[in-house]
Amino acid sequence: MNTTNHINRRRFIAQASCAGISCAPFFSTLLNLSLTGRVAADSPSIGKDYRALVCIFLTGGIDSFNMLAPRSGTAYDEYKASRQFIAHACEDLLPVGTSQPNHPELGLHPQLPQLKALFDAGKLAFVSNVGALVRPITLQEYKNHIAVPNSVFAHDTQQEQWMTCIPKSNVEYGWGGRAADILRDQNMGAKVSMNISLSGNNLFQYGRKVVPYAITDMGSVALKSFDPHEKATPFETVAVNSMLEQQYKSLFKQTYVDAMRTALGADQVFSSIIEPISLKTVFPNTQVGRDLHMVARTIAGREAIGAKRQTFFVEKGGWDTHSNVVGIQKEHLPDIDNAVAAFMSAMEEIGASNQVTLFSASEFGRTLSYNPGGGGGGSDHAWGGNHFVVGGAVKGGAIYGQYPSLALNTNLDTGQGRLIPTMSVDAYSAELARWFGVSDTDLSTVFPNLGSFYSPSSGKPPVGFMS
């Protein structure tokens, strides 16, 4: 299930007309792209400096125990025995430091040399065996169906749990949206929403008051009737202007038109700020490269936008590797490697490297045992997985959390190498939100289940990978 509703570039309204005003799905989409900033935040502002979180969501469930794997000794032997011919040769794995507490000597996928360079430079960290949890559980509790998240191996449910940090019920708001609701007063003068998506609508950025503003890798999405790129006719422009100038007795219609005015204003303001901005950094000409290039340009325009806090959402699919995991990762991981490296170079270029943190997310990891399906060996849906965090404020050059044994039939293995997470997505995300500016007293509002893993009143960070 795709978590986003992708929007064709500059075709947001397409053939706008008065007849379309009563269309509820269209109305909903328009509101989802509207600017916000009319209601005061729940908490006082925290700091005056700019900070941004960039989520790159690896949709499909990335096989992250082939992204970060043991490369020597007994730990490698266990990995090789479990994964068999989808395992990397130990000499092909890129070393990422000497052995640390809680994990063996580890290596990085051979297609990630630039992430390794960022790790070696102290700007990138890995967080191990993260997943959705209700509370820490044992294998026996899992077998007895005690405190197990809903539909733990399903794409749609686990995407929702990663984006909301609510493991046992369906919710309408993501943790990025809830954090933005609390920090909205930081952006009261901003000209666009705090939450900006390069991948359409997404649950992560939805709050009660702040909703994502969707753009494309080419910029904001214009109303067709006002977009010179779409060769709008004077008749179309006059017709839509006439519609926008009307005052309607119907509250529904009037709210719709107000939202249209706001969306139109957003496009004009955003375009006027971003279009003149160019960067010296060269990004790869791939979708994720173009998306991160637009994120970088938007961050470069942060002062003109008036933003003190921003979140960005970028989706990269293709990780549901039931077969040919080796070939697919060989093809797709360089895209992540090159795009992330270019993005960090751009942050250095604009002087924002210490103020921007990029992090990976994915609905789950994959089985340690291989699936001998067509097209070469693959791996199936699992649970815990590894992720990376990169930025100038990251305490890099280290792996956080407990890297598990990759042998089969351990006390974390629910079957076929589906590992029970040893770190909750709540703690992982709360570390990021705390750095972003959410106070310790507000962490439980953003992450209602956080108390099962961490005490916000402790004064200590949930994980420790952020400065």
Side-chain angles (χ1 to χ4, degrees):
M1 175 178 178
N2 193 349
T3 60
T4 59
N5 297 319
H6 291 290
I7 300 169
N8 291 334
R9 173 179 172 269
R10 298 188 175 274
R11 294 189 183 274
F12 174 53
I13 287 187
Q15 302 280 332
S17 68
C18 292
I21 289 175
S22 61
C23 177
F26 181 51
F27 172 61
S28 175
T29 300
L30 186 59
L31 285 182
N32 291 343
L33 296 178
S34 68
L35 295 175
T36 57
R38 297 183 177 90
V39 185
D42 296 327
S43 300
S45 62
I46 304 168
K48 301 298 182 183
D49 58 317
Y50 174 83
R51 292 193 179 186
L53 288 173
V54 182
C55 174
I56 181 164
F57 202 95
L58 306 174
T59 305
I62 187 170
D63 193 322
S64 55
F65 286 109
N66 255 18
M67 182 178 72
L68 183 68
R71 65 182 303 271
S72 66
T74 302
Y76 179 80
D77 294 339
E78 292 172 342
Y79 159 76
K80 179 68 174 178
S82 297
R83 313 229 75 187
Q84 299 189 40
F85 67 88
I86 66 171
H88 297 295
C90 58
E91 61 270 19
D92 291 339
L93 292 163
L94 308 175
V96 286
T98 57
S99 181
Q100 297 173 221
N102 298 322
H103 67 77
E105 182 185 4
L106 297 172
L108 202 53
H109 192 286
Q111 299 297 321
L112 296 174
Q114 298 195 75
L115 292 195
K116 171 182 161 48
L118 288 166
F119 180 94
D120 292 343
K123 297 178 181 179
L124 183 146
F126 287 97
V127 187
S128 183
N129 200 23
V130 187
L133 288 167
V134 177
R135 62 168 174 78
I137 65 169
T138 65
L139 180 59
Q140 190 59 50
E141 287 176 318
Y142 169 82
K143 291 178 178 178
N144 293 335
H145 306 288
I146 298 172
V148 178
N150 293 343
S151 303
V152 71
F153 306 129
H155 285 294
D156 55 349
T157 306
Q158 290 305 293
Q159 288 168 4
E160 178 181 301
Q161 290 176 20
W162 264 82
M163 291 185 185
T164 66
C165 291
I166 306 292
K168 291 292 283 184
S169 62
N170 296 326
V171 294
E172 299 177 355
Y173 309 111
W175 74 259
R178 295 194 297 269
D181 283 346
I182 286 173
L183 298 174
R184 287 177 70 243
D185 65 333
Q186 297 274 16
N187 277 30
M188 287 306 289
K191 298 176 178 66
V192 297
S193 174
M194 182 187 298
N195 294 348
I196 297 177
S197 173
L198 275 292
S199 300
N201 295 335
N202 66 89
L203 184 56
F204 163 66
Q205 291 181 308
Y206 263 92
R208 291 182 181 272
K209 303 167 186 173
V210 179
V211 296
Y213 176 54
I215 63 174
T216 73
D217 58 23
M218 298 296 292
S220 63
V221 183
L223 305 186
K224 175 186 179 295
S225 300
F226 289 86
D227 188 357
H229 296 88
E230 297 290 352
K231 299 180 180 179
T233 67
F235 174 80
E236 289 176 308
T237 302
V238 169
V240 174
N241 262 327
S242 176
M243 182 183 71
L244 294 177
E245 291 168 359
Q246 295 291 326
Q247 295 295 315
Y248 296 92
K249 293 181 180 179
S250 165
L251 179 62
F252 186 86
K253 291 181 179 181
Q254 189 59 50
T255 304
Y256 177 81
V257 170
D258 289 344
M260 285 185 69
R261 291 192 190 109
T262 304
L264 177 59
D267 168 61
Q268 293 171 339
V269 171
F270 187 87
S271 297
S272 68
I273 292 170
I274 301 304
E275 286 184 1
I277 295 175
S278 62
L279 301 172
K280 295 179 181 178
T281 301
V282 177
F283 282 75
N285 188 24
T286 62
Q287 188 60 62
V288 70
R290 293 188 295 270
D291 285 347
L292 287 180
H293 186 197
M294 178 52 65
V295 172
R297 289 175 64 199
T298 305
I299 292 173
R302 61 197 181 278
E303 291 187 8
I305 290 172
K308 295 292 186 180
R309 293 291 184 274
Q310 290 181 299
T311 75
F312 297 89
F313 181 83
V314 173
E315 182 182 38
K316 165 66 175 174
W319 306 103
D320 194 15
T321 50
H322 291 279
S323 63
N324 194 26
V325 62
V326 173
I328 289 172
Q329 288 200 335
K330 185 176 181 180
E331 177 184 356
H332 288 303
L333 281 176
D335 188 8
I336 300 298
D337 192 55
N338 294 326
V340 170
F343 179 76
M344 293 313 301
S345 178
M347 293 303 96
E348 294 281 354
E349 178 185 338
I350 66 175
S353 60
N354 292 333
Q355 298 169 298
V356 179
T357 299
L358 180 149
F359 65 98
S360 71
S362 188
E363 58 261 45
F364 42 59
R366 304 193 77 83
T367 54
L368 298 177
S369 61
Y370 76 96
N371 173 16
S379 51
D380 292 328
H381 303 179
W383 198 349
N386 305 311
H387 291 278
F388 61 85
V389 186
V390 58
V394 174
K395 296 179 181 178
I399 291 93
Y400 293 83
Q402 177 186 346
Y403 194 93
S405 166
L406 301 191
L408 299 178
N409 302 315
T410 66
N411 61 0
L412 294 178
D413 184 3
T414 66
Q416 297 181 272
R418 292 183 169 97
L419 299 184
I420 297 172
T422 47
M423 180 180 294
S424 70
V425 66
D426 307 68
Y428 175 61
S429 303
E431 178 86 7
L432 295 162
R434 193 172 185 261
W435 172 83
F436 191 54
V438 176
S439 69
D440 289 344
T441 56
D442 283 328
L443 280 177
S444 295
T445 300
V446 178
F447 305 100
N449 199 44
L450 184 60
S452 298
F453 313 99
Y454 162 76
S455 173
S457 63
S458 68
K460 299 179 181 178
V463 183
F465 57 78
M466 296 301 300
S467 298

